[in-house]
Amino acid sequence: MTWKPRPREGVDHLALPLDPLQGYLLSRLDGTLDVPALASVMNLGEDQVTAMLGRLVALGAVASAVPLARPTAASPVQASPEPPSEPVPAEPEAATTEDTETAEARMGSATHRQLFEERLHARPVDERAALARAAAEPELSACCFDPTAEVIRALLENPRTGTLQARLIATHHRTSAGLDALGARAAFAGDDGVRRALLQNPILPPALFRRLWAPRRLLEQYLVSASHDSPEQIRAMARDLLRSSFNQRTGEERVELILTTEGRCLMGMQGLTLDSQATALMCRRTYVSTLLIQNLARWSAAPPALIAHLRRQDIVKRNPVLRQLLERHPNAS
């Protein structure tokens, strides 16, 4: 039976160390697409998709493809022992461990918040800042819930402060000055958990967002702009950054963004264009995705050469709706 991968239930995918392509592939899994279909959607080779699925299985994000072996029927002439069933590999423990750690972190977070509210919050700010500079656990993590930037800056000077505390600050702190102080620490700003938490923090300063995500690939910026886990103001910042970054990147990277998202990114690219290099790369491909062609046909800046190339595709010749869309394009000759 053809494997149609689906995500494992009960797994916190945000806690897994996924790169943008793995995250996008995981978002497309619903149990109805097999590997060839996923390769077409992703505009990647089947070997690449298979390797990425193997990585997702190893991380515990996707259920294993190995079915339970069925015993063979005994011979009617001579009974023979049934061949042993192939051992079913145990489900990876990575996700279970991750779930356990996440649950423990949440329980610890609640305990530390309670400690701060009951024992620390009533103290003067100067006293809390002095405590934060030299605190050890559990007061160290409790100080992460302090609402003042002064205490957060003092906490970041504490040599005991690590990524656990940095993630708590990124998640719960609500002042721009405090988050800027966190982002100024390269070791913390480069942590994936800190970055994910910042993307869900509605107080994330625009300057800090641009500094952290401007060097990232266009696809990563797009995934932030389309994420349902981020507040709208952060998605808006990501859309603005994506637009400003688009024409500054190589043709290969722009083509990667368009193909990987099946043209969904083009909705926010009105007024932007493709240069000759990117157009040539787009025109070298054979197109089989209806959605991608529709999105390209609705993009008013699609170059004339690309529109002409799309009109020659077999899928367009067989589809009157696609033909009509392309014929009406302002750059159709």
Side-chain angles (χ1 to χ4, degrees), residues 210 214 218 221 237-249 268-269 272:
R210 293 186 69 88
L218 293 176
Q221 296 175 7
M237 288 191 290
R239 290 193 292 268
D240 291 342
L241 177 60
L242 182 62
R243 282 185 58 86
S244 63
S245 301
F246 187 76
N247 282 338
Q248 300 173 7
R249 302 302 177 90
M269 300 298 177
L272 302 180

Side-chain angles (χ1 to χ4, degrees), residues 222-240:
Y222 170 78
L223 292 176
V224 175
S225 73
S227 172
H228 296 296
D229 296 319
S230 298
E232 171 55 29
Q233 60 266 38
I234 292 179
R235 296 200 298 270
M237 288 191 290
R239 290 193 292 268
D240 291 342

